[in-house]
Amino acid sequence: MTSLEPTQMEQSCMRHEPEPPGEKVPRRKLLGWLVGVINLGVFAAIFTPTLRFIADPMRRKKGSDAWIPVIGDGEIAEGETRSVDYRVNVDDGYMVSPLRYSVFLHRSGGEVFAFSPTCPHLGCNVKFHSQNDRYICPCHGGVFSADGGRISGPPPHGLTKLPAKVENGQIWIQRV
Amino acid sequence: MRDQPGSSVTETKGSPRSRKLVVMDWIESRTGFVSFSRKNLDEPMPPGVGWWQTLGNLLMTLLIFQFVTGVALAMFYAPTPDHAHQSVAYIMDGVTMGAFIRGLHHWGSSFIVLVATLHMLRTFFWGSYKKPREMTWVIGVLIFQVILGFSFTGYLLPWDQKAYWASVVGTRIIATIPYVGEHLMVLVRGGKEVGALTLTRFYGVHVMLLPAALIVLTGIHLYLVRKHHISGPVTPRKGRPAPFFPVQLLRDAVVVLVASGLLLMLAVAFRPELGGVADPSGVTFTPRPEWYFLGLYEFLKLMPPSLEVVGTLIVPSMVTIGMLLLPWLDRVESRHPAKRGWIIDLALFMILGIGVLTLKGVLSEPPPPPKAPEAEAVLAPAPTPPSRP
């Protein structure tokens, strides 16, 4: 570092001209505002479209209401709960991805119920324990009954029920 | 210790103004930011400093725009041969404001090369690189190289025919270097051919290495500019220096306003091109570089095969080395162009040469691309990407 003292040129610069008396808005202040407005405007013109661009995924609707066949009607017995895998093409940004998901199917009173395996607490996949007829989330210990209702643990509510129907000998679900 | 600005609070406690002063006091005592900005706003501008001295600020603003749009584009872009073209097509047609953001980034790069060139020409003709500002110039030349590196690596990323073939030729130039050329080319390409590893390599350099280099170099450049102050006109004028704020800062803002307006208009009016997906088997496509490399492109055309290395290596490296050493090659003490003799003649010759060659390149239109369906940008809903063996 050289001298810490301001140079002559700097000193002469720091001695600002006194503002002429009688002016309501000093010139320095006015020009300062003008610079600020221009810079703000220019940056807004670049940043606003950029933010809209980045936020594009927020405009997309989640999931689709298409019915997806998962298994044959005869493959699940009364009172049984089982996990079934299925494949579905998902809009995945610039591509369409064939992804594999799973769903819990449960038959009770002749009717078929479908539950999303996603724990409503923080999104881990729950496991079904057939010996005590309970869904248990391995992450934080959420417990659900066979009909999807919440029993204990941190989840705020029961498992998400998905629309399910039996048609043409197949069980169909909707991912909503 | 220097006095804390605003520490003499004379107004009634709790009034809005005194509260503001307390906040400013706190910020100043913890960060020194208040006196730092005051010092920079009071930066002395010698008499005669004017519009020509706004180019550096404009260049930095354009680089910030490029950084902002680049980060946004990187959030949608996939640097793989399977998906690069598809993701750019998606940006253009599938994402809100996508074509506009890519347009800003695309046209912004041309603006930057243009403004950087003007900024260097201003510094050159004003002799501002002379003592004590030699290192400011050297860092500036390095920044210019980084900017060209950005252009070269960014050109490949859309992975269309133009991108692919320009990069094939651009990297092939490296192989003309005697002895080590072939090895160097493999290093740059990440393989013998331009392919998946070239794309990831160029992407990595474009979004990691060059931005880091640019930030460090720009930091040093700005520090040096402030340390040695603005040079002012070649013959000092009478009068007292004026503080940077408000007049020069207003000039900066006006120039930024005009240039950004032009850039926004270009981005709105002209969609950046996206040709057919890169096709290594294509024989119908004539590759051409971006306009600012056209001078070099035409120069290479003039070279007979035996002298090719002159055009690919010797002349470009001599120009770069000459620019780096300029403050020491130009030994005349005066900053006045009329007194600097051969260095000005040589520079005028080079500017004229580059200008004529660039113009020749711009005017020599390539044969029109074939109107085959592959030449159209298609956004195909892609099934699973075929796994590469």
Side-chain angles (χ1 to χ4, degrees):
Chain A
M1 286 293 271
T2 49
S3 161
L4 283 171
E5 291 298 310
T7 62
Q8 244 183 349
M9 193 154 74
E10 280 172 318
Q11 277 176 349
S12 91
C13 258
M14 288 171 196
R15 283 196 304 270
H16 298 132
E17 298 284 346
E19 298 291 351
E23 266 187 62
K24 271 194 180 155
V25 188
R27 181 166 167 270
R28 255 174 88 87
K29 211 165 193 174
L30 190 74
L31 294 182
W33 272 100
L34 193 55
V35 168
V37 167
I38 292 176
N39 283 340
L40 265 178
V42 164
F43 274 85
I46 301 291
F47 271 93
T48 319
T50 307
L51 288 178
R52 285 188 62 194
F53 175 72
I54 292 174
D56 175 82
M58 294 169 75
R59 300 157 64 97
R60 319 226 156 232
K61 66 180 173 97
K62 210 184 153 206
S64 103
D65 50 7
W67 285 97
I68 304 154
V70 282
I71 47 168
D73 184 25
E75 291 177 60
I76 180 163
E78 173 66 27
E80 190 188 351
T81 298
R82 57 177 289 194
S83 172
V84 178
D85 289 355
Y86 62 95
R87 281 177 180 280
V88 63
N89 286 335
V90 177
D91 274 334
D92 199 2
Y94 50 80
M95 56 196 268
V96 176
S97 295
L99 294 180
R100 209 177 72 166
Y101 290 101
S102 71
V103 61
F104 283 109
L105 296 178
H106 173 66
R107 172 161 271 164
S108 167
E111 214 179 323
V112 174
F113 299 93
F115 296 105
S116 161
T118 307
C119 178
H121 176 221
L122 290 172
C124 290
N125 272 359
V126 298
K127 286 187 171 63
F128 185 70
H129 295 255
S130 51
Q131 63 275 28
N132 45 14
D133 229 20
R134 293 274 186 274
Y135 295 97
I136 297 175
C137 179
C139 292
H140 309 103
V143 181
F144 308 88
S145 60
D147 63 0
R150 175 187 175 274
I151 293 178
S152 66
H157 53 76
L159 293 174
T160 307
K161 208 178 209 176
L162 302 177
K165 67 176 181 183
V166 180
E167 210 172 273
N168 300 331
Q170 286 277 327
I171 297 173
W172 305 70
I173 61 153
Q174 267 180 321
R175 297 187 71 239
V176 282
Chain B
M1 284 294 283
R2 75 181 84 151
D3 283 345
Q4 303 286 334
S7 54
S8 53
V9 181
T10 51
E11 279 157 75
T12 343
K13 269 191 177 174
S15 80
R17 184 160 163 77
S18 80
R19 243 180 283 141
K20 188 183 163 196
L21 286 177
V22 169
V23 172
M24 297 286 266
D25 251 5
W26 191 90
I27 293 173
E28 172 59 16
S29 70
R30 301 308 189 277
T31 66
F33 182 73
V34 177
S35 53
F36 174 80
S37 23
R38 200 162 289 176
K39 186 174 179 302
N40 277 298
L41 291 174
D42 280 339
E43 169 73 15
M45 300 285 124
V49 166
W51 295 99
W52 281 109
Q53 279 71 16
T54 58
L55 291 165
N57 176 71
L58 174 60
L59 183 54
M60 208 174 73
T61 310
L62 290 170
L63 287 169
I64 293 171
F65 290 174
Q66 215 66 354
F67 187 81
V68 170
T69 52
V71 168
L73 288 168
M75 291 182 187
F76 290 93
Y77 174 74
T80 79
D82 289 336
H83 293 303
H85 186 271
Q86 192 183 20
S87 62
V88 176
Y90 175 70
I91 287 170
M92 298 283 285
D93 297 320
V95 187
T96 323
M97 310 295 295
F100 176 68
I101 299 295
R102 181 164 173 245
L104 282 178
H105 201 73
H106 172 86
W107 296 110
S109 76
S110 281
F111 268 50
I112 283 171
V113 173
L114 199 67
V115 173
T117 307
L118 290 175
H119 185 51
M120 289 181 92
L121 287 176
R122 199 282 297 160
T123 310
F124 175 76
F125 283 109
W126 286 50
S128 302
Y129 51 79
K130 287 172 181 283
K131 188 182 166 189
R133 300 186 182 83
E134 297 96 324
M135 285 313 292
T136 323
W137 168 265
V138 169
I139 301 289
V141 173
L142 294 180
I143 290 176
F144 189 66
Q145 301 297 319
V146 168
I147 288 172
L148 293 182
F150 268 117
S151 307
F152 185 66
T153 50
Y155 206 64
L156 176 65
L157 304 185
W159 201 249
D160 59 359
Q161 284 281 67
K162 198 168 94 168
Y164 177 82
W165 287 105
S167 301
V168 166
V169 176
T171 49
R172 184 74 215 157
I173 286 176
I174 299 164
T176 63
I177 299 172
Y179 309 113
V180 291
E182 288 286 340
H183 299 288
L184 265 183
M185 186 191 73
V186 172
L187 181 70
V188 169
R189 285 184 175 177
K192 283 198 184 317
E193 307 288 337
V194 172
L197 290 181
T198 322
L199 190 51
T200 43
R201 208 157 268 239
F202 276 35
Y203 183 68
V205 170
H206 191 81
V207 306
M208 305 282 289
L209 178 65
L210 292 177
L214 183 69
I215 290 168
V216 171
L217 290 171
T218 307
I220 301 174
H221 194 73
L222 289 178
Y223 163 77
L224 290 173
V225 167
R226 278 302 184 241
K227 179 176 169 59
H228 297 301
H229 308 292
I230 301 276
S231 61
V234 286
T235 40
R237 290 190 199 165
K238 279 187 185 157
R240 278 178 35 186
F244 174 65
F245 176 82
V247 176
Q248 187 63 19
L249 186 59
L250 182 66
R251 285 196 192 106
D252 276 339
V254 169
V255 169
V256 164
L257 179 68
V258 171
S260 319
L262 279 173
L263 178 61
L264 287 164
M265 268 160 46
L266 271 178
V268 169
F270 300 99
R271 263 170 78 92
E273 216 181 303
L274 180 65
V277 66
D279 174 16
S281 74
V283 286
T284 46
F285 189 81
T286 315
R288 260 158 71 90
E290 192 59 298
W291 65 267
Y292 34 81
F293 289 125
L294 280 176
L296 187 61
Y297 171 76
E298 289 296 325
F299 187 59
L300 291 181
K301 282 202 219 165
L302 296 177
M303 288 290 130
S306 56
L307 290 179
E308 195 185 28
V309 72
V310 174
T312 54
L313 177 69
I314 296 177
V315 170
S317 2
M318 275 177 61
V319 170
T320 308
I321 293 169
M323 278 166 74
L324 285 170
L325 296 180
L326 177 67
W328 298 277
L329 293 174
D330 179 9
R331 308 195 64 91
V332 183
E333 214 156 293
S334 169
R335 285 178 43 213
H336 201 290
K339 293 181 183 152
R340 275 153 56 204
W342 69 272
I343 208 101
I344 294 282
D345 298 338
L346 181 67
L348 287 176
F349 172 75
M350 273 174 45
I351 293 164
L352 199 70
I354 294 172
V356 166
L357 287 172
T358 305
L359 196 66
K360 187 169 178 284
V362 172
L363 294 179
S364 66
E365 282 295 318
K371 266 280 170 237
E374 53 139 34
E376 302 293 321
V378 269
L379 172 56
T384 338
S387 57
R388 306 194 136 235

